[in-house]
Amino acid sequence: VRTNERIRATLAHDRPMSGLQAKFSMPFALALVALEGRAGLHEFTDATLARADVQAMIGRVDFTAFDEAGPDCAPDYTNVTTCLEIVLKDGTRHDGRADYPPGSPRAPMSFDDVAEKTLGCAAFGCWPEDGMRAAIDLVARLDRPRIVRLFADTIHRMSRSEFDAPDLQIRRQMLAAEGQNPLFHLILRLRLRIRGQLHIEIDLIVT
């Protein structure tokens, strides 16, 4: 594995000694992917790190940095470009390269990918799976065009008034509910300032 010196310095623990250090270890992450096909919150633990097969696979990972000013750095490399070469027991080689992390604007995750990650994170936090699946289904059925039209009209009217340019944020927020199932709201927050002084926040909650 080869990447730039900044990422190499961040992922500094080639031989992590704890689950926390493992979160900053490229060899550990790749060992998980090779052995488990995933690297989620459940895997970044002291117990997983202590497994003999994980330790053996970590020892097979060579993690280095390329010289960004040298000939091995292509002009189209991004600030996170990472190159991977896998050598099998029979000598077969497989090469790969990633220029953008999953979930970034250049490599967006699909709704199914986000849903799968949400379920994994929720399971790690001991949230009930049935409630999480219901929440995901709720978000999938939101009338997004209606929401966008509503706020576009609000922004248009505000832009013609004495308000400064509005700042619109859209985020999801989980609220505790009665029983075991979590309740999700989609929060659309409109931040307004009147002549740079008064700060107003308007939340539209979509259930």
Side-chain angles (χ1 to χ4, degrees), residues 124-137:
F124 183 76
C126 298
W127 284 95
E129 182 178 347
D130 58 342
M132 297 308 303
R133 290 192 179 278
I136 291 171
D137 180 64

Side-chain angles (χ1 to χ4, degrees), residues 79-204:
N79 64 343
V80 294
T81 292
T82 301
C83 300
L84 177 68
E85 181 183 63
I86 301 174
V87 182
L88 303 182
K89 289 182 178 180
D90 62 3
T92 304
R93 294 177 179 269
H94 298 274
D95 298 324
R97 167 180 158 182
D99 295 313
Y100 303 98
S104 65
R106 294 292 188 93
M109 297 171 66
S110 68
F111 185 87
D112 289 341
D113 290 337
V114 175
E116 181 180 358
K117 184 172 183 178
T118 299
L119 289 172
C121 293
F124 183 76
C126 298
W127 284 95
E129 182 178 347
D130 58 342
M132 297 308 303
R133 290 192 179 278
I136 291 171
D137 180 64
L138 171 65
V139 173
R141 292 185 287 106
L142 287 175
D143 186 358
R144 293 180 179 84
R146 180 181 65 84
I147 295 171
V148 172
R149 288 195 301 271
L150 173 63
F151 269 79
D153 180 64
T154 301
I155 292 173
H156 176 69
R157 286 186 283 107
M158 291 299 183
S159 65
R160 299 172 60 184
S161 70
E162 60 182 352
F163 287 88
D164 295 340
D167 173 24
L168 175 63
Q169 293 184 342
I170 300 178
R171 62 187 177 89
R172 294 184 180 91
Q173 175 174 303
M174 182 175 66
L175 302 177
E178 294 183 1
Q180 296 299 315
N181 293 338
L183 175 65
F184 273 77
H185 291 324
L186 187 70
I187 308 297
L188 292 91
R189 171 160 293 176
L190 185 62
R191 292 181 174 177
L192 302 170
R193 288 183 300 275
I194 301 177
R195 298 180 182 140
Q197 299 295 323
L198 181 61
H199 184 206
I200 301 175
E201 291 188 358
I202 303 173
D203 283 358
L204 174 65

